[in-house]
Amino acid sequence: MGPTTFLKKRKKKFEFFIFIMSSYICDELVDEIFKRLPSKSLLRFRSLSKSWCSHISSPDFILKQTTFQSARNFQNILIQHRTLRSENFYRVHYQSPLNSQYGNYGTRSMKFPNGCYMVGSCNGIICLRDNSNDVSLWNPSIRRKLDLPFLGYFSNNSRVVGFGFDSNTDDYMTVRLFYPGYGELYKSMVYSLKKRVWCEITPPSTHILRVRSAACFVNGALHWVVLTCSFYEIILTFDLSTQLFSEIMLPEEPIRQTICPIIFNGSLGMSISDNYYTHIWAMKEYKNNTSWYMVLKLENFQFEGGVDAVLQLKNGNILIRNYKNVYEVRYPGGECSEVCERDSPTVEIFGMVMYVESLALLDIGTACIDANQPYFTMNRGEL
């Protein structure tokens, strides 16, 4: 008997055991068991009985399972690679909660979708934007995707999108800013996943000349670094609960060539780079402009190609991405280790987000399977 056949039989026995036991245990205990299982197993369990299918697919259970998985230490890092023909393929790098030491990763690969930019990730859902300004929500764990209603054609200047979750209403929200620049009138829109509609909201009072970063979701709000029409840079925030814009001042840095808001130890942080150094800042007290402090100073020679994006792992270490490589930096300490590199000079590392396995979008999304490519190919030891 081969190892694949053996594992399949083990899975079938486990599923049968759970199915039999469910007749003797209360629903609350079934919930406790189910929300700890991988999303792939839960999808299979739906075929065992109508009651299980209804229960697992219900919005209440999906929210419970998503909340539990988000609180766990297990995390996936989805790294987007792009060819010169704008074809995307993705690698998922993951760490076990029981074996999450520095530099210890496994990998698996997937291919879907093409022509998309990763806007952000929240509770297992990844927000995507394509070259036509269409926005969609994608859950790679269960291969479900939801295309948001089309808002019409706009110039390249309008491509500002943010994505987050409002815990007060248990609602996922997508925010779009349409700004022509130079002080002209513009508008802001919010899409509510519960209501399934775009709504116009009061735009920020600050006139935007250019948006310099992707959105970062932290403290219940979205954060962008923007250049105003007065030629100074600020952090523009949007609170998903109140749906109001506000501003936060940046840390004082003389030169800012690459700048992006980040999450550091659960709070708002900033990555600011020049030709020689990358400074990681954090805010002790949210929206207190005097509470910025420098966390780490890194020499850029360690990162061939500069610094484009920064993420903090749950073990405290920092991931740094550029178009050539992804590195893990130990915190504290600053030692650097390569996690991922591009396959060839014709491929760029185009994006990087963290996500957890969840059932989000199961009750409303549509299947998105690439028929020409197996969804997952396991490549342990590839790094």
Side-chain angles (χ1 to χ4, degrees), residues 52 78 87 149 165 211 285 289-290 294 336 338 349:
W52 276 21
L78 185 64
E87 296 175 335
F165 179 74
V211 176
E285 183 181 348
N289 294 321
T290 64
M294 189 183 299
C336 177
E338 187 177 280
I349 296 179

Side-chain angles (χ1 to χ4, degrees), residues 288-333:
N288 182 350
N289 294 321
T290 64
S291 67
W292 285 110
Y293 69 101
M294 189 183 299
V295 173
L296 200 60
K297 181 179 180 180
L298 303 170
E299 294 182 291
N300 287 348
F301 74 85
Q302 300 177 95
F303 319 115
E304 183 184 357
V307 175
D308 293 332
V310 176
L311 293 175
Q312 187 184 29
L313 301 171
K314 288 189 176 180
N315 62 10
N317 295 339
I318 296 169
L319 282 185
I320 288 181
R321 174 189 69 81
N322 57 40
Y323 73 98
K324 290 183 178 181
N325 299 281
V326 175
Y327 304 89
E328 183 175 358
V329 178
R330 188 190 293 269
Y331 177 78

Side-chain angles (χ1 to χ4, degrees), residues 58 129 137 142 162-163 239 242 303 318:
S58 68
R129 176 183 61 79
L137 305 179
I142 59 173
F163 175 68
D239 188 293
T242 63
F303 319 115
I318 296 169

Side-chain angles (χ1 to χ4, degrees), residues 170-185:
D170 294 330
D171 192 8
Y172 295 92
M173 295 185 180
T174 304
V175 181
R176 297 198 67 171
L177 304 182
F178 302 97
Y179 70 102
Y182 298 101
E184 298 176 45
L185 294 176

Side-chain angles (χ1 to χ4, degrees), residues 81-215:
H81 303 250
R82 173 166 290 189
T83 68
L84 292 179
R85 296 181 178 180
S86 296
E87 296 175 335
N88 293 334
F89 63 94
Y90 301 84
R91 285 201 179 103
V92 181
H93 299 256
Y94 56 91
Q95 293 179 314
S96 166
L98 300 178
N99 190 15
S100 58
Q101 297 300 313
Y102 175 67
N104 190 354
Y105 289 87
T107 65
R108 58 183 182 236
S109 301
M110 68 178 79
K111 184 181 179 181
F112 186 89
N114 277 329
C116 289
Y117 302 83
M118 295 193 294
V119 172
S121 173
C122 186
N123 294 341
I125 299 178
I126 297 172
C127 182
L128 303 171
R129 176 183 61 79
D130 66 15
N131 293 321
S132 300
N133 260 340
D134 286 337
V135 179
S136 58
L137 305 179
W138 175 40
N139 185 337
S141 301
I142 59 173
R143 292 171 283 182
R144 307 286 286 188
K145 183 170 175 276
L146 178 70
D147 295 322
L148 303 192
F150 184 57
L151 285 177
Y153 293 98
F154 295 89
S155 67
N156 290 343
N157 283 353
S158 66
R159 295 183 178 185
V160 184
V161 184
F163 175 68
F165 179 74
D166 180 13
S167 58
N168 293 327
T169 59
D170 294 330
D171 192 8
Y172 295 92
M173 295 185 180
T174 304
V175 181
R176 297 198 67 171
L177 304 182
F178 302 97
Y179 70 102
Y182 298 101
E184 298 176 45
L185 294 176
Y186 59 101
K187 64 180 180 179
S188 306
M189 306 286 291
V190 171
Y191 181 83
S192 164
L193 194 58
K194 275 190 172 181
K195 298 177 181 178
R196 308 281 191 87
V197 65
W198 287 102
C199 296
E200 188 169 355
I201 58 174
T202 303
S205 57
T206 303
H207 292 291
I208 301 170
L209 184 63
R210 180 187 173 194
V211 176
R212 291 206 56 190
S213 75

Side-chain angles (χ1 to χ4, degrees), residues 323-374:
Y323 73 98
K324 290 183 178 181
N325 299 281
V326 175
Y327 304 89
E328 183 175 358
V329 178
R330 188 190 293 269
Y331 177 78
E335 296 89 350
C336 177
S337 174
E338 187 177 280
V339 171
C340 174
E341 64 178 347
R342 59 180 180 172
D343 292 339
S344 74
T346 61
V347 175
E348 291 187 357
I349 296 179
F350 198 69
M352 176 178 71
V353 297
M354 285 195 298
Y355 77 98
V356 297
E357 285 205 6
S358 78
L359 295 178
L361 300 184
L362 178 62
D363 55 336
I364 55 175
T366 57
C368 53
I369 301 173
D370 186 344
N372 300 318
Q373 175 83 4

